Amino acid sequence: MAKKVAKVGVKKEPGYLYFVDKDGDISCAKMARGNKKGGKPKKAAKVGISKESGFLYFIDKDGDISSAKMVRGGKKKKKKVAAKKKVAKKKVAKKATKKKVAKKAVKKKAVKKAVKKAVKKAMES
């Protein structure tokens, strides 16, 4: 539910974005369209309201400043216990891959030795 904070009565021009800036004044900036860039913001009206955290401030259809309580939604975070299990699984997976790589290296060395012996025997005969 929104409530009016200050009555200003700003007339909105099409193609401009109106917002409450950090100073609590109403500013407007030309909106970007296609490949054209937007403009720098300029003050439309000096009001000087003080913003309260947890509230969203906007310019309503009458050109006045209104505020609404921010609703925080989104996906809930998982518990840290689940995160620890993932880390443990990753460590186990890393160890398994290291063992596989080590076995492959040993096999390659054995094959190389066997090839060298075969070449040596062929050269001798």
Side-chain angles (χ1 to χ4, degrees):
M1 184 97 181
K3 65 174 186 175
K4 285 202 187 219
V5 178
K7 288 194 176 191
V8 185
V10 172
K11 300 283 185 241
K12 293 184 185 179
E13 288 181 48
Y16 283 87
L17 173 73
Y18 289 82
F19 60 96
V20 181
D21 60 16
K22 63 183 177 184
D23 302 324
D25 302 329
I26 296 176
S27 291
C28 67
K30 192 162 179 64
M31 286 193 272
R33 290 284 178 254
N35 60 358
K36 293 180 186 175
K37 290 195 174 185
K40 288 191 175 181
K42 59 184 179 186
K43 299 263 186 194
K46 284 205 169 201
V47 185
I49 62 161
S50 58
K51 290 184 177 183
E52 193 178 328
S53 64
F55 283 87
L56 175 75
Y57 291 85
F58 61 96
I59 314 304
D60 60 15
K61 63 183 178 185
D62 303 323
D64 303 328
I65 298 177
S66 293
S67 69
K69 188 155 177 60
M70 280 196 256
V71 179
R72 304 295 180 153
K75 198 172 185 180
K76 297 285 182 192
K77 290 185 180 179
K78 291 182 181 178
K79 292 180 183 175
K80 289 185 179 182
V81 178
K84 285 181 182 178
K85 286 182 181 178
K86 276 188 178 179
V87 171
K89 282 182 181 178
K90 281 183 182 179
K91 283 182 181 178
V92 170
K94 277 186 180 179
K95 283 182 183 178
T97 53
K98 282 182 181 178
K99 284 182 182 178
K100 285 180 185 176
V101 170
K103 282 183 181 178
K104 281 184 181 178
V106 169
K107 281 184 182 178
K108 280 184 180 180
K109 283 182 182 177
V111 169
K112 278 185 181 179
K113 279 185 180 179
V115 169
K116 275 186 181 179
K117 276 187 181 179
V119 169
K120 224 179 196 181
K121 279 186 179 179
M123 294 288 271
E124 286 175 3
S125 29

